Amino acid sequence: MASATRPEPPREVWTSEKGSMARETATTRWPKIVQNMVDDLEESFGQSDKEHVEEGRRIQATLRIIKGEIMQDNQLHPLSSDGCPDIQTYNAQLQSFGNITWHNCPWLFAECYLYRCVQTLFARSQFWRDYDIFARQKLSAFVASHTAVQELSERYVSLTEATGALTIAKATDDAETERLFFSEMTEMALWGNVTDLSLLSALTNNSLDHLRSLQGSAAIREGQARIVSNDVPAAWDHLRSRRGAPQRRVDVVLDNAGFELLTDLVYALYLLDAGLASAVKLHVKAMPWFVSDVTPRDIDVLLSALADPTVFPGASNLSVQELVRRMRACCESGIVSVAEHAFWTTGFDFQALPEVAPELHRDLLDSSLVVFKGDLNYRKLVRDAMAAYNAVQGRYWAAARGVEDSGIEDE
């Protein structure tokens, strides 16, 4: 029986919710993440001159203050201007919540506020303006993924080398084979997100071993049982039906750098090779964000690392080299493009997109398919809702605003 009315939106989760991940994040993870920032700067001082070090020490001191304020459950204060217009918006949002503290605040907004607060320290500095406080962690995690990188490279290149790039569609006349391949490649991109570094408060040897165990084809098969809702068949039908259209752009709102970014780039190659897309646009963050989120620089770092045997252990692998060549060719030709927008680093959920960033909203409406990757994007799609799962609310609030309800049934 179809539901007669749409459910009211559940309230957003606050860090005061006992037993919640929001509470754990505020009391445990945030202080550790900020301490990691302090430690990262310390490692960089050995390569810096006196003036750089002195300014870095001042940034470190402020980071320690932020860490203390979080641990002591202090009140969130307005952000200092760094010349970007989003600061005013952040402060207006902050004011709308009243007097909130770190342990009693909207989780989604406060987490975005924290990373934006940290960015102001670097943006207002003289010598550290372009410094990525998470770059070292992102590269280390990617290098540790070299086994998975080689497996993925060899798997994909072997599937295409017989016929050459951009001819997979011609080589697979069997529609069922094509569908299965699409499903496999989509799940490959899905499970790339196991390298979310913001969930790993410290990159110890044990945590890097854990990352390795999560990557690879066997792990993908094991992970299928953990998919809650799977609309891959609908996505396949949609893209396949548009295969002859002149404009078939697929947009991917990226999540993590490193191995997940590699899976996203391979997925972009696949969509182009299979004729399911005529172009792919990758949406990245404009600043270091949530520890491991992709910035424009991370794409260059990844491709450079894959080509440098002094950085990446598997750089001499022929399949890795071929994959890098194809990726660079697509990026240089513009078939795969990279776009950044200030909206992705605001504290707004995606329901506010048409009002806050109408030009970005219009651009996404021109896409054949928009893929949102990772935890943060999911939280923003569902407004960081605090609600028990049920079929109606789970499906309805995961849909973007403006998408017509297609007869969701209440069982």
Side-chain angles (χ1 to χ4, degrees):
M1 178 177 178
S3 177
T5 59
R6 289 183 174 182
E8 289 297 317
R11 64 180 178 83
E12 60 187 338
V13 62
W14 281 49
T15 57
S16 53
E17 200 74 39
K18 291 184 178 180
S20 67
M21 186 174 179
R23 183 73 173 179
E24 172 70 14
T25 297
T27 58
T28 303
R29 284 177 52 230
W30 286 345
K32 289 182 179 179
I33 288 171
V34 176
Q35 181 59 50
N36 287 346
M37 299 178 194
V38 174
D39 297 341
D40 179 86
L41 277 172
E42 192 69 35
E43 288 191 49
S44 298
F45 290 160
Q47 305 171 16
S48 306
D49 58 33
K50 182 179 179 181
E51 289 182 317
H52 281 70
V53 172
E54 289 177 351
E55 187 175 52
R57 294 288 185 200
R58 292 193 291 272
I59 294 174
Q60 273 186 323
T62 306
L63 288 172
R64 290 190 179 99
I65 291 173
I66 294 172
K67 175 186 174 182
E69 289 180 342
I70 296 173
M71 297 179 69
Q72 296 163 24
D73 191 25
N74 288 6
Q75 184 174 318
L76 276 68
H77 54 75
L79 297 176
S80 300
S81 176
D82 61 4
C84 294
D86 66 322
I87 294 295
Q88 184 177 355
T89 304
Y90 262 104
N91 289 338
Q93 280 187 282
L94 177 61
Q95 186 177 16
S96 72
F97 292 120
N99 296 327
I100 55 176
T101 66
W102 287 102
H103 298 173
N104 184 29
C105 58
W107 182 23
L108 179 60
F109 171 79
E111 195 152 21
C112 293
Y113 165 94
L114 170 60
Y115 287 96
R116 190 63 184 90
C117 180
V118 169
Q119 179 60 21
T120 65
L121 304 181
F122 294 96
R124 298 170 65 208
S125 70
Q126 179 179 356
F127 302 110
W128 299 86
R129 184 181 303 273
D130 298 322
Y131 187 74
D132 184 346
I133 191 70
F134 308 122
R136 184 178 284 107
Q137 293 185 61
K138 288 185 283 191
L139 181 59
S140 296
F142 178 62
V143 171
S145 303
H146 61 89
T147 300
V149 171
Q150 289 185 210
E151 179 186 344
L152 174 59
S153 301
E154 291 168 0
R155 169 75 168 143
Y156 188 74
V157 170
S158 69
L159 287 168
T160 58
E161 64 183 1
T163 54
L166 305 178
T167 56
I168 289 180
K170 297 177 182 178
T172 53
D173 295 327
D174 183 354
E176 179 63 12
T177 300
E178 278 195 284
R179 184 190 66 78
L180 291 173
F181 191 36
F182 175 78
S183 179
E184 179 180 350
M185 294 302 294
T186 302
E187 289 183 19
M188 173 274 299
L190 166 65
W191 294 117
N193 69 0
V194 298
T195 53
D196 186 342
L197 300 184
S198 70
L199 299 179
L200 298 172
S201 298
L203 279 177
T204 63
N205 288 333
N206 287 338
S207 64
L208 288 177
D209 289 340
H210 181 58
L211 288 181
R212 295 187 188 100
S213 72
L214 291 173
Q215 296 165 342
S217 59
I220 290 176
R221 289 192 297 272
E222 293 170 4
Q224 290 175 339
R226 300 196 297 274
I227 297 177
V228 175
S229 180
N230 191 343
D231 289 324
V232 169
W236 162 248
D237 290 339
H238 172 68
L239 290 177
R240 190 165 179 262
S241 69
R242 291 181 52 83
R243 189 172 258 163
Q247 299 297 326
R248 305 181 315 282
R249 192 185 85 207
V250 172
D251 289 60
V252 184
V253 184
L254 298 179
D255 185 29
N256 297 310
F259 182 73
E260 181 177 353
L261 173 57
L262 178 68
T263 66
D264 294 330
L265 290 171
V266 172
Y267 193 56
L269 285 182
Y270 158 69
L271 292 172
L272 295 166
D273 289 350
L276 297 172
S278 59
V280 177
K281 180 181 284 190
L282 306 174
H283 296 267
V284 301
K285 305 298 193 300
M287 63 186 72
W289 202 250
F290 275 61
V291 180
S292 51
D293 282 19
V294 180
T295 66
R297 184 183 301 173
D298 289 321
I299 297 176
D300 293 332
V301 169
L302 182 142
L303 294 177
S304 297
L306 287 174
D308 187 348
T310 65
V311 176
F312 189 75
S316 59
N317 181 281
L318 294 179
S319 294
V320 172
Q321 292 177 6
E322 174 61 15
L323 200 62
V324 172
R325 185 194 67 76
R326 295 187 192 181
M327 289 177 186
R328 287 195 183 278
C330 286
C331 291
E332 290 170 1
S333 69
I335 299 176
V336 174
S337 60
V338 178
E340 56 181 273
H341 195 285
F343 178 78
W344 304 124
T345 52
T346 66
F348 293 108
D349 60 53
F350 293 157
Q351 306 297 324
L353 180 59
E355 179 182 355
V356 176
E359 74 292 348
L360 176 60
H361 182 241
R362 288 192 297 269
D363 182 55
L364 293 176
L365 289 176
D366 288 336
S367 178
S368 295
L369 180 72
V370 179
V371 180
F372 292 91
K373 295 292 302 291
D375 171 68
L376 176 59
N377 284 327
Y378 177 78
R379 288 170 60 190
K380 289 197 169 191
L381 282 169
V382 299
R383 292 182 165 177
D384 219 15
M386 186 66 170
Y389 176 82
N390 68 56
V392 174
Q393 287 182 329
R395 290 295 300 276
Y396 175 69
W397 289 110
R401 170 182 282 182
V403 175
E404 186 174 329
D405 190 353
S406 57
I408 300 172
E409 295 187 353
D410 188 358
E411 298 180 347

